[in-house]
mmCIF file of all heavy atoms in Angstrom:
data_model
loop_
_atom_site.group_PDB
_atom_site.id
_atom_site.type_symbol
_atom_site.label_atom_id
_atom_site.label_comp_id
_atom_site.label_asym_id
_atom_site.label_seq_id
_atom_site.Cartn_x
_atom_site.Cartn_y
_atom_site.Cartn_z
ATOM 1 N N VAL A 100 8.172 245.147 -30.908
ATOM 2 C CA VAL A 100 7.028 245.929 -31.394
ATOM 3 C C VAL A 100 7.419 247.395 -31.577
ATOM 4 O O VAL A 100 7.169 248.009 -32.628
ATOM 5 C CB VAL A 100 5.835 245.814 -30.419
ATOM 6 C CG1 VAL A 100 4.754 246.847 -30.755
ATOM 7 C CG2 VAL A 100 5.244 244.407 -30.457
ATOM 8 N N VAL A 101 8.039 247.978 -30.560
ATOM 9 C CA VAL A 101 8.439 249.387 -30.631
ATOM 10 C C VAL A 101 9.467 249.599 -31.739
ATOM 11 O O VAL A 101 9.395 250.588 -32.502
ATOM 12 C CB VAL A 101 9.003 249.855 -29.267
ATOM 13 C CG1 VAL A 101 9.606 251.253 -29.386
ATOM 14 C CG2 VAL A 101 7.905 249.850 -28.216
ATOM 15 N N ASN A 102 10.420 248.682 -31.867
ATOM 16 C CA ASN A 102 11.456 248.835 -32.887
ATOM 17 C C ASN A 102 10.894 248.720 -34.298
ATOM 18 O O ASN A 102 11.266 249.497 -35.202
ATOM 19 C CB ASN A 102 12.556 247.782 -32.683
ATOM 20 C CG ASN A 102 13.448 248.100 -31.504
ATOM 21 O OD1 ASN A 102 13.577 249.249 -31.121
ATOM 22 N ND2 ASN A 102 14.044 247.079 -30.910
ATOM 23 N N VAL A 103 10.019 247.750 -34.516
ATOM 24 C CA VAL A 103 9.439 247.576 -35.850
ATOM 25 C C VAL A 103 8.635 248.815 -36.243
ATOM 26 O O VAL A 103 8.760 249.326 -37.374
ATOM 27 C CB VAL A 103 8.548 246.315 -35.888
ATOM 28 C CG1 VAL A 103 7.716 246.296 -37.182
ATOM 29 C CG2 VAL A 103 9.401 245.058 -35.798
ATOM 30 N N ILE A 104 7.828 249.315 -35.321
ATOM 31 C CA ILE A 104 7.045 250.525 -35.601
ATOM 32 C C ILE A 104 7.974 251.716 -35.862
ATOM 33 O O ILE A 104 7.773 252.497 -36.801
ATOM 34 C CB ILE A 104 6.094 250.837 -34.428
ATOM 35 C CG1 ILE A 104 5.039 249.735 -34.306
ATOM 36 C CG2 ILE A 104 5.420 252.193 -34.620
ATOM 37 C CD1 ILE A 104 4.140 249.882 -33.092
ATOM 38 N N GLY A 105 9.018 251.857 -35.025
ATOM 39 C CA GLY A 105 9.960 252.967 -35.178
ATOM 40 C C GLY A 105 10.696 252.921 -36.501
ATOM 41 O O GLY A 105 10.839 253.949 -37.188
ATOM 42 N N VAL A 106 11.175 251.751 -36.895
ATOM 43 C CA VAL A 106 11.895 251.605 -38.163
ATOM 44 C C VAL A 106 10.975 251.946 -39.334
ATOM 45 O O VAL A 106 11.367 252.656 -40.284
ATOM 46 C CB VAL A 106 12.443 250.169 -38.312
ATOM 47 C CG1 VAL A 106 12.930 249.925 -39.738
ATOM 48 C CG2 VAL A 106 13.597 249.941 -37.343
ATOM 49 N N PHE A 107 9.754 251.470 -39.272
ATOM 50 C CA PHE A 107 8.814 251.716 -40.369
ATOM 51 C C PHE A 107 8.481 253.202 -40.492
ATOM 52 O O PHE A 107 8.439 253.758 -41.598
ATOM 53 C CB PHE A 107 7.538 250.907 -40.157
ATOM 54 C CG PHE A 107 6.549 251.040 -41.275
ATOM 55 C CD1 PHE A 107 6.753 250.373 -42.476
ATOM 56 C CD2 PHE A 107 5.433 251.851 -41.140
ATOM 57 C CE1 PHE A 107 5.842 250.502 -43.526
ATOM 58 C CE2 PHE A 107 4.520 251.988 -42.174
ATOM 59 C CZ PHE A 107 4.733 251.306 -43.370
ATOM 60 N N LEU A 108 8.248 253.870 -39.339
ATOM 61 C CA LEU A 108 7.891 255.288 -39.375
ATOM 62 C C LEU A 108 9.062 256.157 -39.828
ATOM 63 O O LEU A 108 8.878 257.167 -40.515
ATOM 64 C CB LEU A 108 7.416 255.744 -37.991
ATOM 65 C CG LEU A 108 6.072 255.169 -37.514
ATOM 66 C CD1 LEU A 108 5.756 255.662 -36.105
ATOM 67 C CD2 LEU A 108 4.944 255.556 -38.477
ATOM 68 N N LEU A 109 10.293 255.760 -39.445
ATOM 69 C CA LEU A 109 11.456 256.583 -39.768
ATOM 70 C C LEU A 109 11.987 256.328 -41.175
ATOM 71 O O LEU A 109 12.401 257.257 -41.869
ATOM 72 C CB LEU A 109 12.577 256.328 -38.755
ATOM 73 C CG LEU A 109 12.373 256.894 -37.338
ATOM 74 C CD1 LEU A 109 13.477 256.408 -36.422
ATOM 75 C CD2 LEU A 109 12.350 258.415 -37.374
ATOM 76 N N PHE A 110 11.988 255.052 -41.603
ATOM 77 C CA PHE A 110 12.670 254.700 -42.852
ATOM 78 C C PHE A 110 11.785 253.993 -43.871
ATOM 79 O O PHE A 110 12.223 253.741 -44.999
ATOM 80 C CB PHE A 110 13.880 253.801 -42.551
ATOM 81 C CG PHE A 110 14.807 254.355 -41.522
ATOM 82 C CD1 PHE A 110 14.830 253.833 -40.234
ATOM 83 C CD2 PHE A 110 15.657 255.401 -41.822
ATOM 84 C CE1 PHE A 110 15.689 254.344 -39.275
ATOM 85 C CE2 PHE A 110 16.518 255.920 -40.872
ATOM 86 C CZ PHE A 110 16.533 255.390 -39.594
ATOM 87 N N GLY A 111 10.585 253.653 -43.471
ATOM 88 C CA GLY A 111 9.738 252.894 -44.373
ATOM 89 C C GLY A 111 10.185 251.451 -44.473
ATOM 90 O O GLY A 111 10.996 250.971 -43.671
#
Side-chain angles (χ1 to χ4, degrees):
V100 168
V101 172
N102 286 335
V103 168
I104 294 174
V106 168
F107 183 76
L108 291 178
L109 288 173
F110 308 105

